Amino acid sequence: MSIKDNLLKIKSVLPEHVTLVAVSKTKPVSDLMEAYNAGQRIFGENKIQEMTEKWEQMPKDIQWHMIGHIQTNKVKFMAPYVSLIHGVDSLKLLEEINKQALKNDRIIDCLLQIHIAEEETKFGLNELELNEILSSESFKNLNNIKIVGLMGMATFTNNKNQIQKEFEQLKVVYDTKKSLSIVNCQLSILSMGMSGDYQLAIEFGSTMVRIGSSIFGGR
Ligand SMILES: *Cc1c(COP(=O)(O)O)cnc(C)c1O
């Protein structure tokens, strides 16, 4: 099947309230343009340099989402254009995003990444760390970032029960924080679900899925 066919097939099964991020990391601009020409406007990348090269070459009505782990010293390269940063997991990183957003005279939307997987290697905050950030004095002064939701990645496993448990856990955290009313933290996005588990993620409350290989093929 073509990229266009894959994309339209996935879109046809997504509920209206669920946003599709087409994860295009490692894929050439020609592949992204195929998705673009089929109507896709939101792309997810996991390396700032690669995303910036693609941003330079591609139409300017695309929304670029950074979904990977972020090195503080590279935030400046995406600050002029990035539309949503999914993987924020420290106050230090938020402070740098805020600083670069201010330089560009904009407010950058961010998701805080919550650690839900079993693996040690996956990044993210636990609930205690999340609470520490949200209640800290310095967070309140970050006027050029806005926390608009949470993001999580389930364990890489075939065990559906395990994945389900992790999604449920993230949904609980999301629901408890959704009622917060802090100027720079108003949650409306729950980013969870990839090619292998997005249907399950949607069942458990996902509002944004990040799908790569099911659209563009294996990497
Ligand atoms: C690569 C990646 C995806 C997409 O994975 P697929 O299995 O190809 O759909 C989603 N989220 C993150 C954070 C990724 O790095």
Side-chain angles (χ1 to χ4, degrees):
M1 288 227 296
S2 68
I3 290 171
K4 179 181 177 179
D5 289 342
N6 292 337
L7 188 64
L8 296 181
K9 192 172 145 227
I10 291 168
K11 277 181 141 169
S12 73
V13 302
L14 290 187
E16 214 164 318
H17 70 278
V18 176
T19 303
L20 172 64
V21 179
V23 175
S24 48
K25 61 192 187 197
T26 78
K27 299 295 177 182
V29 165
S30 56
D31 283 6
L32 278 70
M33 279 310 297
E34 243 184 276
Y36 180 88
N37 289 329
Q40 184 63 24
R41 291 294 180 273
I42 304 177
F43 292 88
E45 292 281 336
N46 71 340
K47 294 207 168 67
I48 293 173
Q49 185 175 339
E50 182 179 340
M51 181 168 80
T52 302
E53 282 166 14
K54 289 172 175 171
W55 166 69
E56 282 166 352
Q57 294 173 56
M58 293 186 63
K60 292 296 170 280
D61 61 344
I62 291 173
Q63 294 172 37
W64 294 98
H65 288 199
M66 173 44 56
I67 62 167
H69 187 67
I70 300 147
Q71 287 171 271
T72 313
N73 62 344
K74 291 193 177 151
V75 170
K76 57 177 176 285
F77 299 115
M78 65 175 168
Y81 69 90
V82 69
S83 92
L84 182 63
I85 302 177
H86 288 235
V88 181
D89 64 357
S90 74
L91 186 58
K92 184 171 148 260
L93 181 56
L94 272 179
E95 286 167 346
E96 175 63 15
I97 296 168
N98 187 75
K99 181 177 151 193
Q100 298 300 334
L102 180 61
K103 276 190 189 167
N104 286 276
D105 194 24
R106 50 186 304 241
I107 292 172
I108 296 182
D109 287 347
C110 298
L111 306 180
L112 290 174
Q113 183 169 356
I114 307 301
H115 182 97
I116 52 173
E118 266 186 343
E119 294 111 314
E120 288 283 335
T121 51
K122 293 214 168 124
F123 299 99
L125 304 159
N126 62 37
E127 218 179 327
L128 185 67
E129 295 165 325
L130 172 67
N131 291 337
E132 272 172 15
I133 290 180
L134 296 180
S135 61
S136 72
E137 267 314 303
S138 46
F139 178 74
K140 294 195 184 82
N141 299 323
L142 302 178
N143 300 315
N144 288 77
I145 55 105
K146 190 169 174 202
I147 306 298
V148 295
L150 302 180
M151 178 266 208
M153 278 172 92
T155 302
F156 187 72
T157 173
N158 287 325
N159 184 343
K160 236 181 121 170
N161 288 335
Q162 168 89 25
I163 298 174
Q164 176 173 328
K165 202 183 77 197
E166 294 171 0
F167 285 155
E168 276 178 316
Q169 187 191 328
L170 181 54
K171 177 68 159 72
V172 169
V173 178
Y174 177 73
D175 284 340
T176 59
K177 295 293 177 274
K178 230 182 121 164
S179 56
L180 279 178
S181 134
I182 310 174
V183 178
N184 58 355
C185 178
Q186 279 157 11
L187 308 189
S188 62
I189 297 174
L190 181 53
S191 167
M192 60 183 193
M194 320 186 353
S195 291
D197 57 20
Y198 71 90
Q199 272 138 334
L200 199 59
I202 291 167
E203 265 181 63
F204 288 92
S206 170
T207 69
M208 186 173 274
V209 291
R210 309 175 309 268
I211 301 180
S213 44
S214 291
I215 297 173
F216 296 104
R219 288 178 297 268

